[in-house]
Amino acid sequence: ESRALELLESAAARGEMLAQSALGQMYLSGRNVPQHETTAVAFLTEAARRGESESQRELGDLFREGRGVERDEQEAAYWYERAAERGDAAAMAQLALLLLESRQLFNDRIRAIELLRQSAAAGSTLAQFALGVRLIEGMGMPRDQAQGMKLVRQSASLGNLDAQIYLRELVQ
């Protein structure tokens, strides 16, 4: 393990974004290294600047949550946007929800719904659930219960716990 870590650190020092991303994830989770969010952010930022979409999305999450960095929704949106531009469906969903729910950002509902639609079509269970609920309940869009239920069921069948709970509560 220590030899593998040395090789990974060496590759990251040479600027290899996948190694930087892997180390960022390791330091974030504490897997095979001591957990250290500040170090994780440094590695993820280097990979994200080089265009690695998973690191970009992870930075978006960290800035949205304020983990290892000061909470900053604008910075979160910036990194989600970068990952979304690269086709990252999960980042599209997170960006859409941030645009819909943020008090800091300009609330662009039309763009957010389009991002949810794209992300849901690309297989994001988060987007399927979020869009489905909005369609069922008519939240910021015309009601379409049939399409909404289809999306929520699809999300639940793919393992989204929130969708499973939502469906269970509808039955009760």
Side-chain angles (χ1 to χ4, degrees):
E1 280 183 22
S2 66
R3 178 70 181 136
L5 182 59
E6 286 174 25
L7 291 172
L8 205 51
E9 288 173 338
S10 176
R14 290 191 309 272
E16 294 184 24
M17 72 178 177
L18 294 179
Q20 292 165 333
S21 179
L23 281 168
Q25 294 295 334
M26 289 170 67
Y27 278 104
L28 195 58
S29 68
R31 190 181 71 244
N32 301 323
V33 295
Q35 185 176 14
H36 197 267
E37 288 178 344
T38 304
T39 302
V41 168
F43 278 117
L44 291 170
T45 299
E46 286 304 311
R49 286 183 179 145
R50 287 180 166 77
E52 207 279 317
S53 66
E54 187 175 328
S55 295
Q56 292 167 335
R57 178 176 21 90
E58 190 68 57
L59 279 174
D61 291 344
L62 293 173
F63 278 103
R64 189 189 73 237
E65 298 163 8
R67 287 185 52 215
V69 292
E70 183 92 17
R71 188 174 191 282
D72 185 335
E73 290 180 346
Q74 289 183 319
E75 193 70 14
Y78 172 83
W79 287 113
Y80 287 144
E81 185 75 52
R82 301 292 77 74
E85 288 169 354
R86 289 180 157 51
D88 186 309
M92 284 180 210
Q94 292 292 5
L95 178 58
L97 293 174
L98 192 58
L99 290 172
L100 288 169
E101 298 165 0
S102 174
R103 297 187 199 286
Q104 280 185 338
L105 301 174
F106 175 71
N107 189 320
D108 188 347
R109 189 180 56 78
I110 293 170
R111 180 161 182 257
I113 296 300
E114 182 54 35
L115 283 167
L116 278 180
R117 289 185 192 284
Q118 290 173 11
S119 182
S124 166
T125 61
L126 173 63
Q128 291 164 349
F129 174 61
L131 183 59
V133 169
R134 280 166 174 73
L135 285 166
I136 291 166
E137 298 180 6
M139 295 170 56
M141 58 192 328
R143 268 185 193 207
D144 184 341
Q145 291 188 332
Q147 181 62 23
M149 285 301 292
K150 178 181 174 185
L151 286 166
V152 171
R153 283 190 186 108
Q154 183 176 8
S155 178
S157 73
L158 293 172
N160 184 302
L161 185 58
D162 291 328
Q164 293 168 359
I165 292 168
Y166 183 85
L167 288 173
R168 205 170 306 127
E169 289 175 355
L170 281 181
V171 173
Q172 293 177 353

